[in-house]
Amino acid sequence: MDDLDRRLTRIAERQLGLVTTGDLRRLGIDRQRVTRRRVTGRLVPVHPGVDRIAGAPITADQQLLAACLAVGGHASHFSAAARWGLEVRPMARADVLVAHERRPRLDAVRLHRSRHLTAPDLTTNGPIPTVTPARALLDLAAPLGSAKLGRVLDQGERHGIVRADELWACAHRFGINGARLPVALAQVLERRLADDRVLGDSAGEQWIADVLRRAGLPTPVSQYPVWAGGRWYLLDFAYPDDLLDLEFDGFAVHRVRTSFDEDRARDAALVALGWRVLRFTSGSTEAGVVGSVSHGLGLWAPASAAGPTSAVA
């Protein structure tokens, strides 16, 4: 391997095995030599202006980066959200965002154009140019809808990926530039920027949080840690002063024997410390939740909570 190949390899190593036409020019490799390398298989074209070094493994991240390099864009929408670890399923085609005046075309890539690209919303994730988690969620508000968007945002907050106030700031930048904000985004932010909000770890837990809020009951602490029986447990929702634990049991998680046995051991350890455990399922009603929690807190159940609405499975 000569010095030129070593320099080219170092560039490719930083770019998941990829090199661009600009990289080749900066190294002094002219078009004729590039063509010769492609003919001999040392360079493999991926997109116009982007090649893969022979032998570099083909990965989803590499394909996403190749699309970004080819059009000078940033991973966005489902691709960016999945890259950041948010609970969305990436599409079969990579999502890449470019400035509105750009009109590139790439095979097998979903290209998005925006008039509202600002520096605070553009970053990198590893070697891949990527929109921020907040911008990814803003762009996904309409396709996800308010319920799914809220669950993804809650998951992102729990894992330190994105905060509701960051999403609000992104939406504010988007709005002051003249863009119309999705209705789903406004609904999600209206609920989650309140001082008394709680984060549910699942759709069922979020349902319980909503029921308690609508009933005007005191706000519990979500994901409350307790040391019991020689180990740490995270309670779905807790009223620590009242030693009251609220749990939502989803069928998919709790239908196996090990989960059932672990829950019984967990409850026994908590009860030994004086805790009371209230368990709810997809068959629970709003009236049942409100009544049980009100009784556990020594309160009267509010009359407005008499509706039969059940949790979402």
Side-chain angles (χ1 to χ4, degrees):
M1 178 184 293
D2 60 24
D3 182 62
L4 182 61
D5 283 328
R6 281 193 290 270
R7 291 162 63 194
L8 190 60
T9 299
R10 284 197 294 270
I11 293 174
E13 287 174 347
R14 297 194 296 268
Q15 298 179 158
L16 304 180
L18 302 172
V19 292
T20 67
T21 298
D23 296 327
L24 297 171
R25 287 174 180 168
R26 283 188 289 275
L27 290 176
I29 304 177
D30 58 29
R31 183 178 301 180
Q32 184 177 2
R33 295 169 71 188
V34 170
T35 300
R36 186 161 57 247
R37 285 171 179 262
R38 287 173 178 165
V39 169
T40 59
R42 297 167 71 184
L43 288 178
V44 181
V46 180
H47 289 301
V50 181
D51 290 87
R52 176 171 53 85
I53 295 292
I58 300 173
T59 66
D61 285 346
Q62 182 196 78
Q63 292 174 322
L64 179 58
L65 176 57
C68 293
L69 293 174
V71 298
H74 287 69
S76 66
H77 293 71
F78 288 96
S79 294
R83 178 76 183 170
W84 287 113
L86 294 170
E87 291 181 352
V88 301
R89 181 175 296 177
M91 306 296 283
R93 294 188 296 169
D95 288 301
V96 178
L97 186 64
V98 298
H100 187 266
E101 60 271 15
R102 301 284 307 284
R103 294 183 179 272
R105 291 182 177 274
L106 281 183
D107 294 335
V109 176
R110 295 201 319 166
L111 289 170
H112 309 267
R113 296 160 56 229
S114 176
R115 290 187 176 91
H116 313 294
L117 290 176
T118 58
D121 300 324
L122 304 178
T123 184
T124 58
N125 185 304
I128 301 178
T130 313
V131 301
T132 62
R135 178 58 193 259
L137 289 184
L138 184 148
D139 290 329
L140 289 175
L144 289 181
S146 59
K148 176 64 174 177
L149 178 67
R151 290 195 292 272
V152 174
L153 175 58
D154 289 347
Q155 175 255 337
E157 288 211 88
R158 288 193 307 275
H159 295 286
I161 300 170
V162 61
R163 301 192 310 270
D165 61 314
E166 292 172 333
L167 181 54
W168 180 90
C170 180
H172 179 67
R173 288 190 293 271
F174 201 70
I176 62 176
N177 285 325
R180 185 175 180 178
L181 295 178
V183 173
L185 180 67
Q187 292 173 340
V188 166
L189 290 177
E190 181 180 5
R191 289 178 50 202
R192 282 160 178 78
L193 290 177
D195 291 337
D196 61 349
R197 68 193 176 95
V198 292
L199 302 177
D201 192 48
S202 66
E205 291 174 31
Q206 188 60 59
W207 174 76
I208 290 178
D210 291 343
V211 168
L212 299 178
R213 178 180 53 81
R214 286 194 296 269
L217 288 170
T219 303
V221 180
S222 59
Q223 302 298 299
Y224 184 74
V226 174
W227 179 263
R231 58 171 292 184
W232 285 103
Y233 293 101
L234 281 177
L235 312 188
D236 288 351
F237 298 111
Y239 292 98
D241 293 341
D242 297 278
L243 294 180
L244 185 64
D245 171 27
L246 316 182
E247 298 293 323
F248 184 87
D249 294 339
F251 179 72
V253 175
H254 295 83
R255 62 181 174 177
V256 296
R257 182 73 201 189
T258 52
S259 294
F260 177 84
D261 291 341
E262 288 173 0
D263 284 347
R264 303 292 80 73
R266 172 188 178 283
D267 289 356
L270 290 172
V271 169
L273 294 177
W275 283 81
R276 292 162 297 156
V277 180
L278 299 179
R279 291 191 171 274
F280 304 105
T281 70
S282 59
S284 301
T285 64
E286 288 201 19
V289 171
V290 173
S292 297
V293 175
S294 298
H295 179 74
L297 297 175
L299 305 171
W300 290 101
S304 62
T309 307
S310 298
V312 178

